[in-house]
Amino acid sequence: MKEITGKTKLYAIVADPILQVKTPQAINAWISKHDVDGVLVPMHVSASGLKALVEGLRGMINFGGLVVTVPHKTTIIHLCDEVSQAAKMVGAVNIIRRESDGKLHGDILDGKGFVTGLTRHGIEVKDKKVFLAGAGGAANAIAFSLCEAGIRELGVYNRTSPKVEDMFARLSNVYPNIKMTVATASPKGYDLVVNATSLGMAETDSLPLNVDDLVADQIVAEIIMRPALTPLLAAAQAKGCRIQYGLPMLESQIDLMAEFMRVGN
């Protein structure tokens, strides 16, 4: 990393908790590789402090952009001045660029990063039946990108079904030919099983789905990066399933994030 000076451009990631994030390492490695005078730092901000943070960033002339993760993605969209069409459809933002006039422009890259991560590891989603645990911001983004990639069927399991029904109402307007089902906790009968919740980050977390119903010919994928081998992935591995770690989703987003925040420009 270059010496930090008054000319250094600042970037950040905001989360609560923050210890699990790997974006600072990944973005700063990208910055170093491309010989950019910039640095990305972690910001631990609770929900109650999010609005004050955003207002502060508007006035930071040397601030370039913000990566947004759990649990702020669905809240921060309302604090942006402009958001992409994809972000509007998903109802969440995971990347923000500060324009020179202080306006904040948001987008969502989670879904594209997740699907690209699968593809880079030889997993094609076209025509697959997909089980998705969760209906939050990341889950919505992943659901849209999976549908865009041509899956055949989507089953979504969430503790509260109204969130799932809302997701389907938006998805079906764009992808009316994809079968959508409010799923139970059982992933039985699906080709690809995805955990898009935060369950698995803490040792005391419950499992996001019924792992007893997993079978060896299924693929089980995570979005959680720390720990790398979550309880879900460990259980899937024990069942003989092919597993996909959470880190490839982030790795696939790094170039997209840097491009969106105009890092180095």
Side-chain angles (χ1 to χ4, degrees):
M1 183 182 295
K2 285 188 171 184
E3 180 184 10
I4 295 175
T5 71
K7 296 180 180 179
T8 303
K9 195 82 168 183
L10 303 181
Y11 305 89
I13 177 171
V14 61
D16 181 24
I18 197 76
L19 294 177
Q20 80 285 355
V21 299
K22 294 185 181 293
T23 306
Q25 301 95 306
I27 292 288
N28 286 322
W30 190 99
I31 285 173
S32 178
K33 179 181 177 181
H34 293 83
D35 198 30
V36 172
D37 188 3
V39 63
L40 184 138
V41 298
M43 292 183 176
H44 187 179
V45 179
S46 66
S48 62
L50 190 62
K51 184 176 180 180
L53 169 70
V54 170
E55 288 308 308
L57 296 180
R58 293 181 191 279
M60 289 180 62
I61 297 170
N62 63 337
F63 188 80
L66 182 69
V67 179
V68 186
T69 188
V70 177
H72 301 311
K73 295 177 185 179
T74 55
T75 303
I76 207 164
I77 189 172
H78 304 293
L79 302 176
C80 295
D81 299 295
E82 300 174 341
V83 298
S84 67
Q85 185 60 37
K88 289 178 183 177
M89 289 169 56
V90 172
V93 157
N94 83 322
I95 190 85
I96 292 173
R97 178 178 66 243
R98 183 192 181 278
E99 305 289 4
S100 59
D101 60 0
K103 288 186 177 180
L104 303 178
H105 182 70
D107 201 352
I108 184 80
L109 302 176
D110 281 337
K112 187 173 182 179
F114 178 78
V115 173
T116 301
L118 290 175
T119 302
R120 287 181 177 178
H121 285 75
I123 300 171
E124 296 297 334
V125 301
K126 186 175 174 59
D127 294 326
K128 280 186 167 53
K129 294 177 64 176
V130 181
F131 175 99
L132 182 67
N140 271 265
I142 289 169
F144 272 101
S145 292
L146 286 169
C147 289
E148 185 179 37
I151 63 170
R152 177 160 48 99
E153 183 176 335
L154 178 65
V156 178
Y157 169 63
N158 193 60
R159 286 172 293 184
T160 55
S161 58
K163 279 191 172 184
V164 180
E165 292 163 357
D166 176 64
M167 178 196 293
F168 288 168
R170 286 178 282 112
L171 278 172
S172 59
N173 284 333
V174 186
Y175 304 103
N177 297 324
I178 296 176
K179 182 180 178 181
M180 300 177 193
T181 306
V182 178
T184 67
S186 173
K188 190 179 296 183
Y190 292 90
D191 306 309
L192 173 63
V193 178
V194 181
N195 176 33
T197 76
S198 60
L199 293 174
M201 287 169 55
E203 292 182 3
T204 55
D205 284 346
S206 59
L207 288 164
L209 53 96
N210 185 355
V211 298
D212 292 334
D213 288 341
L214 291 172
V215 292
D217 62 355
Q218 290 175 307
I219 301 166
V220 180
E222 269 283 10
I223 68 167
I224 293 171
M225 288 169 279
R226 185 172 180 180
L229 187 67
T230 62
L232 171 63
L233 291 185
Q237 199 171 55
K239 288 273 191 174
C241 302
R242 179 176 181 178
I243 63 172
Q244 172 83 343
Y245 295 103
L247 186 58
M249 175 178 167
L250 172 62
E251 292 173 335
S252 299
Q253 289 190 74
I254 297 306
D255 288 338
L256 295 171
M257 288 177 171
E259 180 183 0
F260 182 82
M261 293 189 295
R262 296 174 182 156
V263 178
N265 296 331

